[in-house]
Amino acid sequence: MTMCELTARSAARPRAASRVRWLRELALLAVLYAGYSLARLLDLGGDTLSRATAHAYDLLTVEQALHLDIEAPANATLQAWPLLAVAASYWYSVLHYVVTPAVLVWAYRNRAGDYRRVRDALVLGSAIGLAGFTLLPMAPPRMLPGFVDTLASTSGAGWWGGDASAPRGLGALTNQLAAMPSLHVGWAVWVAWVLVTLSTRRWVKVLAVAYPLGTTLVVVATANHYLLDAIAGALVVAVGIRLSRRLTPTGSGGRRPATAGAPGRVRVPEQAMRGR
């Protein structure tokens, strides 16, 4: 075998391994999305919609007792500003699905030593959220009297229909009773944690902190979530972050560092050995 052939084979191996890693990561995210979509098919007893509506009114009662019931005035204020309502609809239906994967890819390419930890935090927090959707179905405010579904009212300005942020005709593929917790807010908190922790640019950190705050305002004002949903979304991701720190030490990255010689041994120069 020639030297050129050996070089070609050596270069092909890392590329093949990289493709395998990417396919594995994509498969993991696909499983999470499938779990989110299929959660709507699970009925743990009785009329799911009736129970979800009852849970929503129970949550509103708790918010009223805590003076946190800001959903109705926030929704009415947003509807009074049509252009702002359109902007909020784009925020809700675009950034959740674009910013999170983009930050995940950035961490993979630029912070390999921390990638597994941030990936695990996202997966674990999302899994806890999926369990919440299944065990505690809850109707969002837009499905209750007195609220306006902002995305439905602005659907002529985008690709979404009357079924949350789903494209027209695909509403059946979404879980309409997944208000608690808000993974829109949870994923935004994850994005902020990753960028504040790993980015070295001050302006990126500032935008990262502003992102979950803006997302919370959007999900509440568009009548897609309650304020306590947003808080719960932040909490489940915080738990995911905590668990990921225990499962994956900082800097492990899931890749073995390149070493010369046997693991755990230090190669001593021959000249130093002669001088002993």
Side-chain angles (χ1 to χ4, degrees), residues 23-96:
L23 290 174
R24 185 178 63 220
E25 299 301 325
L26 290 174
L28 183 60
L29 294 178
V31 168
L32 275 177
Y33 183 78
Y36 169 77
S37 299
L38 293 175
R40 65 187 175 85
L41 301 178
L42 298 178
D43 187 347
L44 301 182
D47 185 349
T48 303
L49 179 58
S50 297
R51 290 188 296 115
T53 303
H55 292 156
Y57 282 118
D58 289 342
L59 187 70
L60 279 175
T61 300
V62 173
E63 286 194 342
Q64 289 169 1
L66 298 174
H67 303 288
L68 297 176
D69 53 327
I70 64 171
E71 294 82 8
N75 182 233
T77 301
L78 182 63
Q79 289 303 122
W81 297 84
L83 290 179
L84 194 58
V86 171
S89 296
Y90 271 98
W91 184 306
Y92 185 87
S93 60
V94 175
L95 297 188
H96 180 62

Side-chain angles (χ1 to χ4, degrees), residues 49 51-53 55-56 137-144 176-179 224 226 229:
L49 179 58
R51 290 188 296 115
T53 303
H55 292 156
M138 185 174 294
R142 60 185 171 80
M143 297 180 69
L144 303 180
Q176 297 294 306
L177 306 177
N224 279 287
Y226 308 93
D229 293 344

Side-chain angles (χ1 to χ4, degrees), residues 102-169:
V103 171
L104 195 63
V105 171
W106 174 83
Y108 183 88
R109 294 176 62 89
N110 297 283
R111 296 291 185 271
D114 297 288
Y115 173 75
R116 254 185 66 186
R117 183 166 56 94
V118 300
R119 188 275 316 273
D120 289 349
L122 179 64
V123 171
L124 291 169
S126 300
I128 297 171
L130 293 179
F133 300 156
T134 304
L135 298 175
L136 187 68
M138 185 174 294
R142 60 185 171 80
M143 297 180 69
L144 303 180
F147 291 92
V148 176
D149 186 340
T150 300
L151 270 78
S153 68
T154 60
S155 59
W159 58 85
W160 54 86
D163 301 310
S165 57
R168 293 186 187 92

